[in-house]
Amino acid sequence: MLGKTANGLYWMYRYMERAENTARLIETGQRIALTRLNQTDDEWASVLQSADCLGGFKAEHDEMSRDLAVDWMLRSKDNPSSIISSVNAARQNARLVRTAITGDVWEAINSAYMSLKKALARKVSERDLPSVLRLIRHHAALVRGVTHGTMLRNEIYDFARLGTFLERADNTARILDVKYYVLLPSARSVGTSLDNVQWETILRSVSARGGFRMEYGAGGGPREIADFLILDKRMPRSLAFCVSKLCDNLGYLADEGGDAGLPSRQKVGALENGLLSKTIDDIFDHGLHEFLQDTLKEITSISRQIEEDFRFYA
Amino acid sequence: MVEKTVFDEMWGQDEQLRAPYQDFHAWFDQEDPKRLRAKNREAEDLFRLTGITFNVYGRAEAEERLIPFDIIPRIISGSEWAKLSRGIEQRVRAINAFLHDIYHTQEIVKAGRIPKEMISQNEAFLDKMIGVDVPGGVYTHIVGIDLVCTGPGEFYVLEDNARTPSGVSYMLENRETMLQMFPELFSKNRVQSVQQYPIDLRRSLAACAPRMTDGDPTVAVLTPGIYNSAYFEHAFLADQMGVELVEGHDLRVVDGRVAMRTTRGYKPIDVLYRRVDDDFLDPLNFNPESQLGVPGIMDVYRAGGITIANAPGTGISDDKAIYSYMPDIVEFYTGERPLLQNVPTWRCSEPDALAYVLDNLEDLVVKEVHGSGGYGMLIGPTATKKDLAAFRRKLKARPKNYIAQPTLSLSTVPIFSKAGLTPRHVDLRPYVLVSPDGIKITPGGLTRVALKKGSLVVNSSQGGGTKDTWVLEE
């Protein structure tokens, strides 16, 4: 496969994953605004921070408001991570790798682009927001579905998966990092409704609320939430899950290429071992914030290594 | 003047439904126009979804447009096609022989059939190709011959496309769309299939691999990139052939071969189907500014390390000045009378011809020798006084740049409009594959249709549409 094609596949799936994550973050922000526990617009700053686009927002806007924040994340062409920018970039990459993906995948991504371009042509009113967000999730699910259902399990698929899980690991780590203080035992004021809302927020922003309740019933506090999102391999957005998938796919690529010592495979293996050898208490003892910062750095370094190992650019 | 003698391919000259259209018309008569209109819209959605679009140059945001598709097929009988194919094959054979000759001993010049300066001073003649023995002796692996019809079985060649003819993806997708929308039509009519084209193309290219190829040849399609107007077609063909789609920056010369950068290192390419013009192919040998090509590919090519399809320098054979010599070229190399007719052509470089053209400008079509895409051309009968005056000045200033032809009365085929069936002018571009194994012509081709009433310009960049082209089984 061409290095350029691997690059295109990787980014196509990173951007699709990003669009979906951003939609979920907007939904969470909107939910908090509606609970009216928070009278200021501070929460939107933390939502933007989770989506890694607060800096860009501040460069363009002097004030913070719900409308501005939502528009920035949904439709802004100045924000490279906005949903419209992500879907554009995903489709542009899909065009680049048109020969590597199936017709079904191309049609799914092209129809996502066409219908979101239309839905996001004008400012989205508060009333229309839920249906627009649903549309985004729906299209992301469709692309994922046809990917599973129609693509050969070969190196093409491996690069698609690498993009998906690298983006997802990055997203989960960032959401946890923006909110890490809520999960610290010292900041805990047990049972207050504010705490409960904050915890719910974290779970919702990674679509883990249902899973968590299934596992812990009405119980479970910050320690369990952190454990669930960092170390639980059954949870498809946890760091442990994403990292194990990266291990698998890089493992297949290393095997096919006959290169057991592939540097990116080594790096992700080390990250997985680090996660497997820890309990959540170890992580808290070491410092949750420090742990998450280290993990984010590691993810970035793995991404660079993948680009190098598979000759994305040179 | 044009309208009086127009031949309609469905209705003939005397309003009698012609034989190839009989089954189709019986079906059409039974159909509810509302349903057909809905189908027409459905076809458009289908094209958008599959991404069969072309990019429009010169826009801030790369805009993607559809080429309008008309649901009424253009139908050609099997016998008519058989006759046409013989003419096309003869012409393509002659073109290849001509190219070999002018890049070697130039017998045709020695025989006085073509003036020397027509070759040596032609911008499309590539010195770098002199004496090069191309793999398999094939210069034009893919040819598109533009034909117009003026009466029953009367076809003229309007233009030969021997560089990188485009549009074949529309031939395939138009058929696919028709099959999806009106499957019943294909059980009633025995239409010859076109779907084998991509496989034929791959086989044909592989058969032209250089001698040093080991095992199954590696074929790749070279595209200028996703912003090129025909990018969809490049991706489509690579996909359908199951080969890599590469850009210049994916390639480099490694150990005397042109190789592509894969996730596991550089892999040599045997046959490169390039959709990049000669000038941009190799910055070391041609345009040094080019970012689209591969530095040094011409040196590898001349050493027999790769097949470039079509060969560099084939442009001279589809040059509009050379076009006027095509009847001589066919006779010279095949020893036969040309089966396909050329449109009579005045070479404005010749003083007598120029005088005639200037005197009769309002009845003629004037074309730039190196122009394409319907740009830079004058259609006398529909031109304004101002246009005519402007062209007179241009002709006098640079006569060598122009040829002139009579305005042919192009045939029409009906399109499906709000008013029902309405005649519109069409042309036809069949696609021809050439390899040492022989010449293969896909039955059908691309029918382009001028959607504006009375218009003769079928180019998609200027408001033309396309139709599915049927060749019936005999």
Side-chain angles (χ1 to χ4, degrees):
Chain A
M1 188 200 312
L2 295 179
K4 174 192 69 186
T5 307
N7 185 21
L9 285 160
Y10 175 81
W11 281 103
M12 169 188 159
Y13 282 89
R14 271 200 87 156
Y15 277 118
M16 269 323 278
E17 182 70 22
R18 187 172 297 177
E20 190 185 356
N21 292 337
T22 305
R24 201 175 289 109
L25 284 169
I26 297 173
E27 206 161 9
T28 314
Q30 180 68 6
R31 181 122 203 136
I32 297 167
L34 294 180
T35 56
R36 308 231 171 262
L37 278 164
N38 201 324
Q39 294 302 322
T40 69
D41 286 315
D42 287 352
E43 196 57 42
W44 285 107
S46 102
V47 169
L48 288 171
Q49 205 186 337
S50 300
D52 204 16
C53 62
L54 182 61
F57 180 87
K58 281 184 171 162
E60 292 285 320
H61 301 283
D62 295 330
E63 51 179 327
M64 174 67 66
S65 74
R66 177 212 163 271
D67 281 4
L68 288 176
V70 169
D71 202 57
W72 182 253
M73 285 194 284
L74 269 183
R75 315 169 51 238
S76 175
K77 296 217 164 94
D78 298 324
N79 173 9
S81 290
S82 71
I83 286 170
I84 199 72
S85 304
S86 299
V87 172
N88 270 339
R91 177 179 181 264
Q92 203 69 310
N93 278 291
R95 286 189 74 199
L96 201 69
V97 301
R98 181 64 191 79
T99 54
I101 54 179
T102 60
D104 285 348
V105 170
W106 161 253
E107 281 184 21
I109 203 146
N110 195 31
S111 86
Y113 164 81
M114 289 191 297
S115 82
L116 292 175
K117 194 175 161 193
K118 207 164 134 200
L120 298 176
R122 269 179 289 278
K123 238 188 169 88
V124 177
S125 70
E126 196 162 6
R127 171 190 294 208
D128 292 336
L129 186 59
S131 66
V132 168
L133 294 174
R134 218 169 14 248
L135 188 68
I136 296 159
R137 282 209 318 267
H138 170 85
H139 279 293
L142 219 60
V143 173
R144 182 158 47 236
V146 288
T147 301
H148 281 296
T150 65
M151 298 266 289
L152 287 182
R153 286 344 187 229
N154 55 13
E155 55 174 350
I156 292 173
Y157 191 76
D158 291 329
F159 284 107
R161 302 296 275 174
L162 288 181
T164 302
F165 289 110
L166 208 105
E167 180 69 23
R168 192 181 290 177
D170 187 72
N171 186 256
T172 299
R174 193 174 303 104
I175 286 172
L176 283 168
D177 197 39
V178 171
K179 286 286 176 187
Y180 80 94
Y181 57 88
V182 180
L183 296 171
L184 293 180
S186 57
R188 200 167 148 196
S189 40
V190 182
T192 69
S193 52
L194 181 62
D195 257 354
N196 280 325
V197 169
Q198 298 275 27
W199 296 341
E200 287 273 298
T201 305
I202 294 175
L203 288 169
R204 269 183 197 280
S205 48
V206 291
S207 277
R209 194 173 143 273
F212 188 76
R213 290 287 158 241
M214 197 182 282
E215 199 52 33
Y216 294 95
R223 188 183 164 281
E224 287 73 25
I225 292 176
D227 188 45
F228 194 59
L229 297 186
I230 295 171
L231 296 177
D232 198 324
K233 278 179 88 171
R234 295 165 304 174
M235 159 60 191
R237 310 193 77 83
S238 75
L239 292 181
F241 182 90
C242 296
V243 169
S244 88
K245 289 288 169 191
L246 291 174
C247 263
D248 289 351
N249 289 292
L250 280 170
Y252 303 143
L253 286 167
D255 289 350
E256 277 176 59
D259 182 4
L262 194 70
S264 51
R265 172 71 182 76
Q266 303 288 324
K267 276 194 173 174
V268 85
L271 182 61
E272 186 179 43
N273 287 335
L275 285 172
L276 289 176
S277 63
K278 284 189 183 69
T279 65
I280 195 65
D281 292 325
D282 295 340
I283 291 172
F284 274 105
D285 288 347
H286 171 73
L288 181 57
H289 177 58
E290 289 72 16
F291 167 80
L292 291 167
Q293 283 293 320
D294 289 349
T295 308
L296 280 166
K297 267 188 219 128
E298 211 35 54
I299 290 169
T300 308
S301 140
I302 291 167
S303 180
R304 291 226 181 87
Q305 194 64 52
I306 290 173
E307 287 173 8
E308 200 178 302
D309 287 355
F310 299 104
R311 300 158 208 265
F312 280 11
Y313 302 104
Chain B
M1 164 201 104
V2 174
E3 294 302 324
K4 250 184 267 169
T5 54
V6 168
F7 166 64
D8 187 88
E9 296 184 25
M10 185 183 275
W11 297 106
Q13 260 137 344
D14 45 9
E15 295 298 305
Q16 288 290 308
L17 188 62
R18 290 180 66 238
Y21 284 88
Q22 253 150 22
D23 288 338
F24 174 80
H25 194 266
W27 170 88
F28 179 81
D29 250 358
Q30 301 278 310
E31 284 292 311
D32 176 6
K34 265 198 212 123
R35 182 181 101 103
L36 289 179
R37 254 185 281 284
K39 284 280 180 192
N40 226 353
R41 283 191 298 274
E42 198 184 295
E44 233 170 63
D45 291 344
L46 221 58
F47 277 103
R48 272 210 195 281
L49 186 62
T50 39
I52 311 170
T53 55
F54 71 100
N55 299 340
V56 182
Y57 286 127
R59 307 247 166 180
E61 201 172 330
E63 194 186 332
E64 293 165 27
R65 278 211 214 147
L66 288 182
I67 295 184
F69 172 69
D70 178 69
I71 59 171
I72 309 293
R74 193 242 198 109
I75 311 176
I76 300 169
S77 75
S79 55
E80 210 171 356
W81 179 256
K83 194 176 144 209
L84 201 53
S85 316
R86 283 193 293 278
I88 293 170
E89 185 171 341
Q90 181 196 47
R91 192 164 174 113
V92 169
R93 236 178 250 296
I95 287 174
N96 270 282
F98 169 66
L99 284 164
H100 183 271
D101 184 30
I102 60 159
Y103 286 119
H104 290 83
T105 50
Q106 303 205 342
E107 299 299 330
I108 195 164
V109 177
K110 287 179 193 155
R113 302 292 285 266
I114 290 187
K116 190 172 177 41
E117 67 273 13
M118 286 304 302
I119 309 287
S120 57
Q121 287 174 29
N122 197 311
E123 285 172 31
F125 182 78
L126 286 188
D127 290 343
K128 291 237 150 72
M129 287 299 291
I130 295 173
V132 175
D133 284 311
V134 299
V138 177
Y139 282 85
T140 62
H141 307 76
I142 301 116
V143 190
I145 305 279
D146 287 355
L147 301 165
V148 293
C149 174
T150 52
E154 276 173 39
F155 283 93
Y156 286 88
V157 177
L158 204 56
E159 199 173 301
D160 303 288
N161 296 276
R163 301 169 204 219
T164 52
S166 63
V168 76
S169 57
Y170 291 93
M171 169 183 89
L172 295 164
E173 286 291 340
N174 287 351
R175 175 63 54 81
E176 204 50 42
T177 303
M178 287 296 280
L179 280 166
Q180 281 195 34
M181 289 197 302
F182 307 114
E184 72 274 19
L185 265 177
F186 292 87
S187 46
K188 282 192 195 114
N189 290 273
R190 291 174 37 197
V191 181
Q192 295 190 38
S193 166
V194 295
Q195 71 185 21
Q196 69 287 0
Y197 178 82
I199 297 301
D200 287 346
L201 174 60
R202 183 171 179 170
R203 283 206 187 113
S204 184
L205 288 170
C208 300
R211 254 190 237 120
M212 62 164 60
T213 301
D214 213 16
D216 193 20
T218 301
V219 178
V221 178
L222 175 66
T223 173
I226 61 172
Y227 298 109
N228 183 267
S229 66
Y231 177 77
F232 161 74
E233 177 158 298
H234 309 158
F236 177 88
L237 289 173
D239 186 33
Q240 297 279 312
M241 285 194 282
V243 305
E244 293 289 1
L245 178 65
V246 298
E247 291 173 45
H249 58 79
D250 296 315
L251 305 178
R252 73 155 69 137
V253 175
V254 181
D255 301 332
R257 303 290 314 267
V258 173
M260 54 185 169
R261 194 183 74 246
T262 76
T263 55
R264 293 178 205 150
Y266 280 88
K267 186 183 172 197
I269 292 173
D270 299 307
V271 183
L272 190 63
Y273 175 20
R274 49 85 176 228
R275 297 291 296 256
V276 167
D277 292 343
D278 284 354
D279 197 29
F280 295 100
L281 203 51
D282 183 348
L284 292 182
N285 282 286
F286 305 121
N287 183 349
E289 302 286 300
S290 173
Q291 307 271 324
L292 306 175
V294 189
I297 189 174
M298 271 309 282
D299 305 315
V300 175
Y301 182 64
R302 279 197 302 245
I306 191 169
T307 297
I308 300 176
N310 289 353
T314 55
I316 190 159
S317 65
D318 68 13
D319 179 273
K320 290 189 181 71
I322 292 292
Y323 167 89
S324 58
Y325 295 94
M326 274 311 288
D328 300 288
I329 289 174
V330 172
E331 264 194 60
F332 187 77
Y333 296 106
T334 66
E336 300 159 5
R337 305 270 317 146
L339 299 171
L340 273 177
Q341 306 186 68
N342 239 31
V343 181
T345 302
W346 289 275
R347 302 167 195 134
C348 300
S349 54
E350 296 168 9
D352 290 355
L354 178 65
Y356 177 87
V357 171
L358 288 171
D359 281 348
N360 295 279
L361 205 52
E362 43 287 305
D363 297 328
L364 299 173
V365 177
V366 184
K367 294 176 181 173
E368 274 185 35
V369 173
H370 303 295
S372 69
Y375 291 103
M377 126 182 192
L378 174 90
I379 299 177
T382 59
T384 62
K385 282 212 170 103
K386 217 172 123 198
D387 293 340
L388 288 169
F391 251 83
R392 258 193 196 101
R393 278 195 302 276
K394 285 191 200 175
L395 278 165
K396 282 179 193 157
R398 303 184 64 190
K400 260 194 216 165
N401 262 12
Y402 299 93
I403 55 153
Q405 294 169 335
T407 43
L408 291 184
S409 146
L410 300 200
S411 64
T412 56
V413 174
I415 60 164
F416 185 62
S417 71
K418 277 182 195 139
L421 293 179
T422 338
R424 289 292 182 272
H425 294 292
V426 293
D427 78 352
L428 175 65
R429 176 181 293 181
Y431 294 91
V432 189
L433 298 173
V434 187
S435 81
D437 299 342
I439 291 180
K440 206 158 194 150
I441 307 168
T442 307
L446 178 65
T447 291
R448 299 185 298 179
V449 52
L451 295 173
K452 261 186 273 164
K453 187 170 182 222
S455 168
L456 295 169
V457 183
V458 296
N459 301 75
S460 56
S461 49
Q462 298 192 51
T466 67
K467 284 171 167 294
D468 188 16
T469 310
W470 292 3
V471 173
L472 301 180
E473 303 266 0
E474 268 192 84

